[in-house]
Amino acid sequence: MKFATKAIHAGVHPDPATGAIMTPIYQTSTYVQTSPGQHKGYEYSRTHNPTRTQLQNAVAALDNGKHGLAFATGMAAIDCVAKLLQPGDEVISTNDLYGGSYRIFTKVYEPLGIKFHFVPMHDMEAVRAVAGPKTKLIWVETPTNPLLNVIDIAAAAAVAKECGALLAVDNTFSTPYLQTPMDLGADIVMYSLTKYMAGHSDTVMGALVVNDDELHERLSFYQNACGGTPGPQDCFLVLRGLKTLHIRMQRHCENGRAVAEYLRQHPKVEKVYWPGFENHPNHAIAAKQMRDFGGMISFVLKGDKKEDAIAVLEKFQYFTLAESLGGVESLSGHPASMTHASIPAEQRRKSGLSDSLIRLSVGIEDAEDLIEDLAQAIG
């Protein structure tokens, strides 16, 4: 199946009991057994739920993967991956990443004896410089949040193979519509399904996709044992969102290009971060591994003053100031004080994240209206 057909049909099937074309919401905690251990594949909804099963199958199919696992949040999915590690293990992560990922790595798992190296992954030699026999996981986020750096997934997979580590890719910004890390050598693909995959700002959820059966078994054990699983209502909402992922992402990309081009020509804008520009330092890699360049954009005003950025954010009408991204509506944010506030200021600036940087999640509204909103807010 091609992607659009997959988005609607892959991993799901009509309800066998009623023929319902949409996956029912199996709002149940437990399931009847005819004799101890004799059941229809479901015992307890923390372990398995039919609505969740179809969502997991659908997400795996979109990513050209074999197994999918759904979690109550994206952070629960990351936490599950981190549980694969042992004290003394080392992790190499991009230095420009989502603040929640940085927080769980440094505040939860580093004190347990796991060492994290945060390096600029656009330079794969920087990764090789810290890779070694203790490296058990390479964590890639591409494009990165919020500086939109693009990391060569195939090159990262080669380094992971050299040192015997797993390669995990946070594919939240791209979704499988724009890139499929499994095809480039990733062992684990992680999503905050909250964002583009669900796409309507109405649910919070995460997911992992893997091919290896043994790795899936280990992650499934942690998923069940630690209990970070989503409810069937939320699974239903994401299943519904997946059916329009392809047409939404197409419009996100179209609008993203229009907004990026407008901002690049604006006299009050100093710099625009968007991988679709030919002068973007990672454009060649983006063009090679992505099918388009997405609707996430960051920019800095001339003068690089935080108060100027705040003034713009307060004037927006359509680019609503709010946490999160990837919904049908356009959102704006100030990473230094919102999504990335958990990263120390010195670390943020070292990675190139200015205190005045504005991040945009370009929605699927009319592009002309979005540009008019930018014009009135920036002045």
Side-chain angles (χ1 to χ4, degrees), residues 129-147:
V130 295
K134 292 185 178 181
T135 305
K136 301 302 180 185
L137 176 68
I138 296 179
W139 185 267
V140 167
E141 186 181 289
T142 181
T144 61
N145 180 5
L147 297 176

Side-chain angles (χ1 to χ4, degrees), residues 40-107:
K40 298 180 180 180
Y42 296 91
E43 302 168 82
Y44 188 61
S45 276
R46 185 189 69 247
T47 309
H48 296 294
N49 178 281
T51 315
R52 191 171 92 222
T53 296
Q54 292 208 37
L55 172 62
Q56 292 178 156
N57 292 342
V59 171
L62 288 176
D63 235 301
N64 298 331
K66 188 175 180 181
H67 305 288
L69 294 166
F71 297 83
T73 67
M75 292 311 306
I78 295 173
D79 183 61
C80 189
V81 174
K83 285 185 169 70
L84 297 170
L85 303 167
Q86 299 293 326
D89 289 348
E90 296 188 6
V91 178
I92 305 173
S93 168
T94 178
N95 65 334
D96 165 27
L97 79 167
Y98 170 55
S101 303
Y102 180 88
R103 179 176 56 215
I104 195 172
F105 290 162
T106 59
K107 301 299 184 184

Side-chain angles (χ1 to χ4, degrees), residues 106-262:
T106 59
K107 301 299 184 184
V108 178
Y109 283 96
E110 203 165 57
L112 299 179
I114 298 164
K115 186 174 182 179
F116 291 85
H117 302 274
F118 296 95
V119 301
M121 284 193 177
H122 60 272
D123 177 10
M124 208 48 61
E125 291 308 310
V127 180
R128 280 193 172 90
V130 295
K134 292 185 178 181
T135 305
K136 301 302 180 185
L137 176 68
I138 296 179
W139 185 267
V140 167
E141 186 181 289
T142 181
T144 61
N145 180 5
L147 297 176
L148 285 304
N149 287 312
V150 177
I151 297 165
D152 190 330
I153 296 172
V159 176
K161 189 173 182 180
E162 289 170 11
C163 61
L166 293 171
L167 174 64
V169 178
D170 182 340
N171 204 37
T172 298
F173 272 23
S174 293
T175 80
Y177 178 83
L178 294 182
Q179 67 186 15
T180 42
M182 286 289 173
D183 298 337
L184 299 171
D187 299 292
I188 303 170
V189 180
M190 193 286 292
Y191 291 103
S192 171
L193 297 178
T194 309
K195 315 308 195 286
Y196 289 107
M197 302 284 267
H200 293 78
S201 302
D202 55 9
T203 190
V204 175
M205 200 185 300
L208 300 174
V209 179
V210 299
N211 276 328
D212 184 81
D213 293 343
E214 183 181 354
L215 180 58
H216 173 248
E217 187 175 343
R218 292 177 67 193
L219 292 168
S220 294
F221 172 81
Y222 292 130
Q223 180 198 39
N224 179 52
C226 300
T229 49
Q233 172 73 35
D234 287 339
C235 291
F236 173 86
L237 289 172
V238 179
L239 276 167
R240 184 187 64 174
L242 292 182
K243 292 183 183 295
T244 58
L245 176 63
H246 53 300
I247 54 176
R248 288 187 288 104
M249 289 304 296
Q250 181 180 353
R251 178 57 65 87
H252 283 300
C253 291
E254 292 170 357
N255 283 358
R257 179 177 293 277
V259 167
E261 292 287 359
Y262 172 78

